[in-house]
Each structure stands twice: as structure tokens, then as C-alpha cells.
Amino acid sequence: MGRFKQRSDGKGSLKLIQTLVNSHTHILNSKLSHIIDEQVSWVSPLCTDEYAEYRDKAFLEKLGIDTEIVKNLKNFWPRNGPQWDALGKFGENGVILVEAKANLPELGSPRSSASSPISRELIMQSLEETRRYISADPRADWTGTYYQYLNRLAHLYFLRVLHNVPTYLVMLYFIGDKTTGGPSVQEEWESSIEKMHKSLGISNNHRLEDYIVDIFIHTDELK
């Protein structure tokens, strides 16, 4: 459980992240070099692993996270949590969590699909804990349009703050993806990202800001 084989003939961010991690890691590593000066080892999605993506305790195990932290995840987030587009490791125990987007509608997401009241309560508790930590506006809706971004942010908080694991959340935005009608210039992404942050009441100088990295890669770089 928690490992999901992916098709190799997809399109959009699914195909682009596969191409990037398996054939152009130098591009990705170069984009990260200003914050990580060590060699990054990418563990997902690999062609030798059926391009599998990971979620729940499986993503932590794939990254080699301490077993006690793996056990603690169930007390922070219920099953069917974020499924990571890519996972990387650096240094002794540093990790990189990647969420990739190829078109603007991908920034939005539906509300949590958690079916049980207990699961919904745990999610709301952890989101509220994350909100307080970064001093986001308590009046902002953290259960709607941008829920996917927030659950990724919460997992950064879980690892970096609660368990002292050197963690970076990489938000990877592809430019020029014609298969999904994605943005043709970086400014389109930046405008939508700013709108998202404003809607969520997240300031530009919050306590996790240094560990969230926005990366923009044009599809022409992958040819």
C-alpha cells in the first residue's frame, strides 16, 4: 500500500516530471543548487521502479525516514494523504518533496475526500496547527480550492518542524506544456501563485517560507 505504478505514456505534469527525473536531473539539481549544495539522489519516479509515486508511510520509507517518524504519521494525517510527484534525498537525512504542475487549473483542488469524521477531524487539526505555526490569517478558508497545496505544506511542517528532518517542499511549475494548455510564460504562474497565497492568508515572510522552493522549468529545456 502507498506505492502507485504510473503509466509512461501520459501527458502534462505526469510525463514531464518523469522525463525530468529520469533524463534531465542536472536541470532540476541546478535549480536547487542555491539552497542545497550536496548531491541529490532522486528515488521517485524512476523508470526502473515503474515510474511509481508514493504516499502515506510508503513515501517516508522510500526516503529512508526513521521508523519512529513513520509511526507518528498516522497521528498527524489519515490514510490517502498526499501522493508525491517526485522524492529526493540529500546529505545524511535531508529530503525533498515535489509537487509538479503543468497548467493553471492544477493549482486548485477539491476539498478533502476523507470519508470518516475521525479522519476529517485529524486533517483539520493538523491544518490548523500548521496555520498557527506560520501565522496565516485565521479567517482564510483552508478547506476549499487550495486544499492540495495545504496538505503538502502540512507535511513539510510535520517533517521539518515536528521531527527536525531537513526537508524542502519543491513546487515545480512547467512552462509551455502544449498537451494541457499550460502557461506560456513564468509570469502567468507567479500571478496565480500570488492569488493563491492571498486567498489562504499566507504572508511572504512566514516561518516555513525558506523551505518552500518555487521552480519554473520550460518544456523546451527537456527536449
Side-chain angles (χ1 to χ4, degrees):
M1 295 295 292
R3 176 186 181 273
F4 299 87
K5 172 185 174 181
Q6 301 298 311
R7 58 188 298 178
S8 60
D9 60 349
K11 63 179 183 179
S13 57
L14 176 66
K15 182 62 176 180
L16 291 168
I17 192 65
Q18 291 173 355
T19 301
L20 184 62
V21 168
N22 288 275
S23 303
H24 300 281
T25 51
H26 63 285
I27 296 175
L28 185 52
N29 291 350
S30 175
K31 298 283 187 177
L32 290 169
S33 62
H34 68 290
I35 59 166
I36 300 173
D37 58 4
E38 300 175 82
Q39 181 65 36
V40 177
S41 172
W42 294 96
V43 299
S44 170
L46 301 180
C47 61
T48 54
D49 187 33
E50 301 180 300
Y51 296 108
E53 295 177 357
Y54 293 82
R55 72 191 314 171
D56 300 336
K57 70 174 185 177
F59 95 85
L60 296 176
E61 291 169 343
K62 189 69 175 177
L63 289 166
I65 299 295
D66 184 86
T67 54
E68 285 304 311
I69 298 176
V70 175
K71 292 178 182 178
N72 290 342
L73 180 62
K74 66 181 180 181
N75 298 319
F76 182 81
W77 208 268
R79 288 180 56 186
N80 298 320
Q83 184 168 311
W84 299 100
D85 293 320
L87 298 169
K89 303 191 296 183
F90 66 93
E92 184 175 345
N93 63 339
V95 302
I96 303 171
L97 313 176
V98 179
E99 176 65 28
K101 307 292 185 187
N103 60 76
L104 294 177
E106 284 187 288
L107 272 182
S109 62
R111 295 173 181 267
S112 167
S113 60
S115 57
S116 76
I118 294 176
S119 293
R120 290 195 295 272
E121 182 179 352
L122 181 57
I123 288 171
M124 295 308 302
Q125 175 183 309
S126 295
L127 286 179
E128 183 59 30
E129 190 175 329
T130 304
R131 185 211 297 263
R132 289 197 302 269
Y133 182 77
I134 66 172
S135 300
D137 189 337
R139 297 168 297 179
D141 181 9
W142 272 39
T143 63
T145 305
Y146 300 112
Y147 169 73
Q148 187 186 72
Y149 175 77
L150 292 171
N151 64 38
R152 271 63 174 172
L153 184 63
H155 279 68
L156 170 65
Y157 168 76
F158 171 80
L159 287 171
R160 168 70 73 164
V161 179
L162 298 185
H163 294 93
N164 298 310
V165 177
T167 306
Y168 288 94
L169 172 62
V170 172
M171 299 298 298
L172 176 56
Y173 303 102
F174 289 106
I175 301 167
D177 178 43
K178 293 182 173 59
T179 68
T180 61
S184 57
V185 294
Q186 181 172 324
E187 287 74 15
E188 289 184 71
W189 277 121
E190 291 174 334
S191 176
S192 293
I193 294 166
E194 182 179 1
K195 178 182 176 182
M196 176 177 70
H197 288 165
K198 184 176 181 180
S199 175
L200 296 172
I202 297 176
S203 71
N204 293 327
N205 298 297
H206 63 80
R207 295 168 76 183
L208 288 175
E209 181 187 18
D210 290 343
Y211 313 115
I212 302 173
V213 187
D214 288 344
I215 290 179
F216 304 90
I217 296 179
H218 201 288
T219 56
D220 286 347
E221 298 181 63
L222 307 183
K223 295 179 179 178

